[in-house]
Amino acid sequence: MTGSLPRGIMREAVINRGAIEHNVRQLRAAAKTTEFIAVVKADGYGHGAVTAARGAIAGGATRIGVAEIPEALRLRDAGIDAPIIAWLHAPDTAFGPAIAQGIELGVSSLDQLLRIAEHAQTQPALVHIKVETGLGRNGVAPADRAAVFAEAARLAAAGRIVIEGIFSHLSGTSMADDRDQVAEFERALAEADDAGLQPRLRHLAATAAAIALPEARFDAVRAGIGIYGLSPFEDRSSAQLGLRPAMTLRARVAAVRRVGPGHGASYGYEYRSERETTFALVPLGYADGVPRQASGVGPVRIGGRRFTVAGRVAMDQFIVDVGDTPVRVGDQAVLFGDPTTGAPSASDWAEAAGTINYEIVTRIGARVTRTVNS
Ligand SMILES: *Cc1c(COP(=O)(O)O)cnc(C)c1O
């Protein structure tokens, strides 16, 4: 990460686009699949969807994955012309605009397939049939596969749809559970083949399986968390995976106050100073995605030293007891970033808050300025 916060900016998430590019290159080389789908849903896990998509494409991603059609259309509007797939639809989604923009659609039921075909009047809809293999979310149930595959074959023969892919999603519960899902996926692929379907891409693995379960890789992996440089594993760090965290969350200390012993810090006085000390005020709160559950435990680096949030995280700010460290108003406080720079990691915050690193970066609020470094 370079330099200090820009003038007039109080809180900032610095996004290292080059890190995303590096991570995609790294994951692609590890997975060795024909194609690589970079997942940039939920505003690129908080990093900015367009930034993430551009970085991923530069690093060799061949497709972009998002949850829903509005996310896909925003990427098209921003000039991303790579294939984009969206797989989560409302019961009354109008598929016309997505088809017109060449957005590929995940299809989880016969009803969805028929509604998509209805909207594909002037050009064929590009579809990826999603099969349910155990996770219990969306996807065609095993009992419905025959009907959906037969209809898909008919629609493909009639030129209404093009079957780009067949896919599913793993639970990551254990190697054994994931292998059961791989086996179910293979049964679905065999049935699709019997029905005459010829999907270009079979895809199952997200980041964790892309790294740790080779038999789940098929023709493409759909990687999200890994492209942002974060590890999906509790027992393996980003650095151990050769990944570089792409987001640094930081702020300028907004106030410092010298206080005597026994001085309360923040609502509820859950923290009190033990002796004369300095309280530094960091202007990031739960409105900005700093989890309130990390009150009293979240790590912060100020002036090259690591401290802990003192007392409760409030909506806009929290306090750090910096002792006698000479901290001044305007000094930089780093909540998380690339731990090889000495910063705490998003995973440290996840541990402090009892959640996962995915949630830490994805919930960074709209009030936090995103600055992109390339
Ligand atoms: C979010 C998502 C992914 C990406 O998962 P990561 O664990 O972040 O790599 C892949 N596929 C589907 C269907 C998803 O919803």
Side-chain angles (χ1 to χ4, degrees):
M1 198 192 49
T2 50
S4 50
L5 282 94
R7 269 191 110 65
I9 303 268
M10 185 155 65
R11 46 174 91 87
E12 182 184 39
V14 183
I15 311 303
N16 183 345
R17 212 192 72 147
I20 296 174
E21 195 176 321
H22 162 86
N23 296 326
V24 169
R25 214 174 283 122
Q26 183 79 10
L27 291 163
R28 252 213 103 155
K32 298 186 188 70
T33 43
T34 323
E35 291 219 20
F36 187 99
I37 304 170
V39 179
V40 306
K41 63 193 180 186
D43 202 23
Y45 291 38
H47 295 66
V50 174
T51 301
R54 293 218 170 101
I57 291 166
T62 56
R63 294 183 191 226
I64 299 298
V66 290
E68 54 183 60
I69 289 170
E71 295 177 318
L73 293 176
R74 280 197 292 276
L75 290 171
R76 272 284 182 277
D77 284 349
I80 306 285
D81 53 15
I84 304 173
I85 165 175
W87 50 69
L88 187 60
H89 314 299
D92 55 356
T93 291
F95 292 106
I99 294 167
Q101 294 289 328
I103 305 301
E104 303 179 2
L105 301 166
V107 176
S108 281
S109 68
L110 185 59
D111 174 66
Q112 268 180 5
L113 180 62
L114 296 174
R115 287 195 300 118
I116 286 168
E118 225 170 82
H119 282 94
Q121 300 297 349
T122 52
Q123 66 186 104
L126 310 175
V127 307
H128 295 244
I129 300 176
K130 185 169 190 193
V131 292
E132 151 68 347
T133 55
L135 183 60
R137 304 203 314 202
N138 59 7
V140 177
D144 300 336
R145 282 199 302 241
V148 173
F149 290 169
E151 184 61 20
R154 200 186 64 74
L155 289 167
R160 302 285 291 282
I161 65 169
V162 173
I163 299 166
E164 285 287 323
I166 295 191
F167 74 114
S168 189
H169 193 40
L170 298 171
S171 80
T173 305
S174 68
M175 282 288 194
D177 285 294
D178 282 354
R179 288 205 175 96
D180 285 348
Q181 284 195 262
V182 172
E184 186 59 37
F185 188 57
E186 281 172 340
R187 281 191 285 279
L189 292 174
E191 287 170 29
D193 192 55
D194 290 345
L197 303 188
Q198 290 168 326
R200 201 169 301 173
L201 286 188
R202 303 159 300 157
H203 47 108
L204 178 60
T207 302
I211 294 169
L213 194 66
E215 61 263 49
R217 288 176 189 153
F218 296 92
D219 305 311
V221 295
R222 297 182 309 273
I225 198 72
I227 76 169
Y228 306 103
L230 301 179
S231 170
F233 308 113
E234 272 184 10
D235 56 354
R236 291 165 83 182
S237 67
S238 298
Q240 285 170 320
L241 300 174
L243 302 175
R244 296 187 198 144
M247 182 191 290
T248 298
L249 180 64
R250 62 184 187 172
R252 277 208 187 92
V253 170
V256 288
R257 170 184 311 283
R258 197 70 185 159
V259 297
H263 201 297
S266 192
Y267 297 126
Y269 292 167
E270 280 177 15
Y271 179 89
R272 286 181 190 273
S273 55
E274 283 173 13
R275 53 183 183 83
E276 185 181 329
T277 190
T278 299
F279 281 177
L281 184 66
V282 177
L284 279 160
Y286 58 77
D288 307 303
V290 177
R292 191 169 175 279
Q293 289 86 344
S295 295
V297 282
V300 188
R301 186 173 159 98
I302 304 175
R305 290 189 52 191
R306 194 185 279 224
F307 301 99
T308 300
V309 174
R312 287 189 196 153
V313 173
M315 188 180 292
D316 317 300
Q317 50 202 293
F318 62 82
I319 292 167
V320 178
D321 180 344
V322 297
D324 296 327
T325 307
V327 173
R328 287 182 307 189
V329 168
D331 282 0
Q332 176 171 292
V334 178
L335 277 69
F336 60 82
D338 186 341
T340 62
T341 66
S345 67
S347 301
D348 292 336
W349 272 87
E351 204 182 313
T355 182
I356 53 175
N357 51 15
Y358 292 72
E359 188 178 354
I360 297 296
V361 290
T362 303
R363 291 181 69 147
I364 297 305
R367 212 165 59 169
V368 179
T369 302
R370 262 71 167 180
T371 304
V372 180
N373 280 347
S374 42

